[in-house]
Amino acid sequence: MLEQTKKNPLRTELPIEVTWRLEDIFGTDDLWEDEFKKVTNLIPTLQEFKGKLAESAVNLLQALTKEEDISERVDKLYTYARMRYDQDLTNSYYQQLNERAATLYVQVEEQLAYLIPEILALAEGVVYAYFQQESGLYKYRQALQVILSQKEHYLSCKEEQLLAQAGNIMRTAEEVFSALNNADLSFGKVLDSAGNKLEVTHGRYTLLLEHKDRKVRRDVFNALYAQYARHQNTFACTLAGAIKQHNFIAKVRGFNDARHAALKANNIPEEVYDQLIAVTAANTKQLQEYLRLRKKVLKLQELGPYDLNVTLVPNTNYKITFDEAEEIVREALKPLGEEYGAILDKAFRDRWIDLYENKGKRSGAYSSGSYGTNPYILMNWQDNLDSLFTLVHELGHSLHSYYSHKYQPYVYGNYSIFVAEVASTCNEALLHHYLLHHEPNKEKQKYILQHYLDGFRGTVYRQVMFAEFEYLIHRNEQEGEPLTADSLSKAYLEILTKNFGDGLCLDNKLALEWARIPHFYYNFYVYQYATGYSAAASLAQKILGGGAAEVTSYLRFLKAGSSDYPLEVLKRAGIDMTQQEPLADAFHTFAENLNKFEKMF
């Protein structure tokens, strides 16, 4: 604990072996510059086939091939620059590299904006006739079908070009939020009972909320939200800007609303979203029961929002070093087979992981990379169970990417957002099963069960609350209601109250939580954590209760990329998310574990 609350080290003070090896993408920054110049010089050639797609199948194939090649190279440039910037947001050199790569991205999109409108201008019969004339086009069959299915929502070539040109401007709200949230905010320090100064940072916030001293927890909570309260109007402006952008794009493309636009891109019925909120609303009693148990075990008159992370098993020392975590991950994921294990070995051996927090480093964790590169993981490691689960979660993303890139061409190498959380959460389910069945200590079993319950609360209940809020504020903005700090906080607090009931004493500061959630800028992303969790839980049970056939089916899912619509990819693995069963099963499992946990006290 003391080591983890020291002042953040500078990036240059970290041992190289705990940092990611981005040199595998570009050996030096000079090599990045060389590739940047080469790609920039290609931009004038990108409209070579403009106005010519209707002439022949060969022209369409060559245009798609050119687009694929340039896009893969730009992805690599942008990925390197962004990850270099994320490792230290105060580094002005990598900031400008990131900005240049983003601008290049927009320039390329701008030059290639003619492609989709021209494809859509072709009669559907012409496109399918092209498949008979040029066998190389079969590679793009699914991609072309997706484009044709969106025909009514694409604009003219000139209008698409204008939207592409505006791409950089439209990212401003998210970029301002990220800079303010990650680089400019400072939360200060709080004192513990011994007079030690504990620095509050994004990376340490959750850890400090586990502190056994309630005053420290409350002070940490207040210190963090004091800064969001101080900048709430700025955060309201950035969020409102992002929502307006989502609604604007949906409107000009002729969608009913932003949610319709976001879900239709992956052929997800809106009923899936509504069903998720409805099924969760029918199961809030279980959440409230867990919160009442927390209050009882902690012997509190009222349970505050700063009491949600502290352990209910206080005498259990569950410290896990990264070396220990590496071995646990290997053992927990053995049910996925030897090939999967060999790829895990590469991840640890070849420095795919940027491990520790440093001054200026982006908060949180993610898996990134691009086609033709290793997957990479950004962490802010702490020696606890949360970091272990975060690690196995991000490794799920990274191996999903590894398999998709290996078995699919570039055009299908990125999997849909809808399935993005399935592989990562399946890994978590396998880890939970392993820990619970290999831990003889009863107190540690309680600790693991508590971790599961808190994880479900955060991944399902909390994300569904986010999803409900996100849909509400998009509708409000669409109907002309200003999104101010006051209106956002009021709407958010109402959703919290409905879900938590009398289980939690809601501090008005928590109504500002919307200000610190980056996912609200991602345009209807968060609901997929909950749907992904449910699908992953079902898949994990199949893997654990089955044999080689179930593992093969699961790996086939990982290899599919975006070669089919996400619901269809999941159905082939035996999961149908248009039905209530996966959600109902997930809430049933939560109730069972809660009941088991209650009986231990």
Side-chain angles (χ1 to χ4, degrees), residues 436-468:
L436 208 55
H437 287 79
H438 289 80
E439 180 51 68
N441 184 288
K442 294 295 182 184
E443 290 300 293
K444 287 190 175 182
Q445 286 183 16
K446 285 166 65 175
Y447 194 91
I448 293 163
L449 274 171
Q450 180 206 303
H451 187 275
Y452 163 81
L453 296 170
D454 286 336
F456 191 99
R457 174 177 58 81
T459 308
V460 180
Y461 284 112
R462 186 168 183 248
Q463 300 301 329
V464 174
M465 283 187 267
F466 287 171
E468 187 174 358

Side-chain angles (χ1 to χ4, degrees), residues 530-544:
T531 55
Y533 187 101
S534 303
S538 296
L539 283 168
Q541 289 305 312
K542 289 177 183 292
I543 292 164
L544 292 168

Side-chain angles (χ1 to χ4, degrees), residues 44-287:
T45 73
L46 295 182
Q47 294 197 346
E48 178 184 358
F49 297 98
K50 184 177 179 181
K52 301 177 181 178
L53 299 191
E55 293 179 6
S56 68
V58 172
N59 281 0
L60 178 58
L61 175 60
Q62 290 182 349
L64 292 174
T65 302
K66 190 171 193 113
E67 187 271 343
E68 188 173 23
D69 174 66
I70 195 75
S71 295
E72 182 178 343
R73 295 171 72 176
V74 173
D75 283 350
K76 195 174 290 188
L77 285 164
Y78 179 69
T79 296
Y80 177 86
R82 181 175 54 82
M83 289 194 293
R84 282 294 191 202
Y85 180 45
D86 283 349
Q87 69 190 25
D88 183 359
L89 295 171
T90 66
N91 187 310
S92 59
Y93 175 76
Y94 287 124
Q95 181 181 12
Q96 61 89 17
L97 227 64
N98 182 60
E99 290 172 355
R100 288 168 60 203
T103 299
L104 179 65
Y105 218 115
V106 171
Q107 290 173 338
V108 169
E109 285 181 340
E110 197 179 305
Q111 294 299 307
L112 294 172
Y114 77 90
L115 265 175
I116 291 177
E118 284 199 27
I119 291 170
L120 292 172
L122 299 172
E124 191 167 330
V126 171
V127 175
Y128 289 112
Y130 278 177
F131 290 131
Q132 305 302 318
Q133 299 168 25
E134 180 54 68
S135 60
L137 280 173
Y138 274 100
K139 171 182 173 182
Y140 301 99
R141 189 180 186 93
Q142 171 65 13
L144 288 168
Q145 286 177 336
V146 170
I147 291 170
L148 292 173
S149 73
Q150 299 279 322
K151 188 167 187 172
E152 62 182 305
H153 300 295
Y154 277 95
L155 309 176
S156 69
C157 185
K158 185 175 182 180
E159 289 168 329
E160 288 291 341
Q161 193 169 27
L162 282 172
L163 284 181
Q165 288 173 341
N168 234 1
I169 299 169
M170 290 185 182
R171 280 190 276 267
T172 301
E174 182 182 348
E175 289 172 352
V176 172
F177 165 81
S178 180
L180 175 59
N181 195 49
N182 292 300
D184 292 346
L185 286 193
S186 178
F187 305 114
K189 298 175 182 178
V190 300
L191 296 177
D192 65 14
S193 58
N196 296 312
K197 294 181 178 180
L198 307 178
E199 185 178 5
V200 182
T201 67
H202 285 294
R204 295 184 176 131
Y205 176 66
T206 301
L207 178 70
L208 289 170
L209 287 186
E210 297 173 7
H211 202 287
K212 63 181 180 180
D213 187 335
R214 194 174 192 229
K215 182 181 181 300
V216 169
R217 300 199 302 271
R218 185 167 54 238
D219 289 348
V220 167
F221 177 85
N222 289 337
L224 183 117
Y225 277 99
Q227 292 303 310
Y228 285 101
R230 184 172 298 168
H231 299 284
Q232 61 181 302
N233 294 314
T234 303
F235 281 114
C237 285
T238 61
L239 182 55
I243 302 305
K244 288 176 182 178
Q245 181 232 323
H246 300 161
N247 284 341
F248 169 75
I249 293 295
K251 182 178 180 181
V252 298
R253 291 199 180 281
F255 290 99
N256 298 334
D257 54 30
R259 188 181 76 166
H260 180 217
L263 270 63
K264 190 171 182 183
N266 286 317
N267 206 33
I268 308 294
E270 290 187 83
E271 290 77 16
V272 170
Y273 199 103
D274 293 329
Q275 176 178 267
L276 175 65
I277 293 174
V279 173
T280 303
N283 286 277
T284 55
K285 183 173 74 172
Q286 296 157 207
L287 171 63

Side-chain angles (χ1 to χ4, degrees), residues 7 37 87 101 107-108 118 133 155 165 340 356 423 426 432 435 453 477 490 496 506 540 554:
K7 185 177 180 181
K37 289 175 185 175
Q87 69 190 25
Q107 290 173 338
V108 169
E118 284 199 27
Q133 299 168 25
L155 309 176
Q165 288 173 341
Y340 196 96
Y356 295 112
C426 183
H432 173 75
L435 292 175
L453 296 170
E477 197 284 327
K490 181 176 182 291
L496 293 180
L506 287 168
Y554 179 66

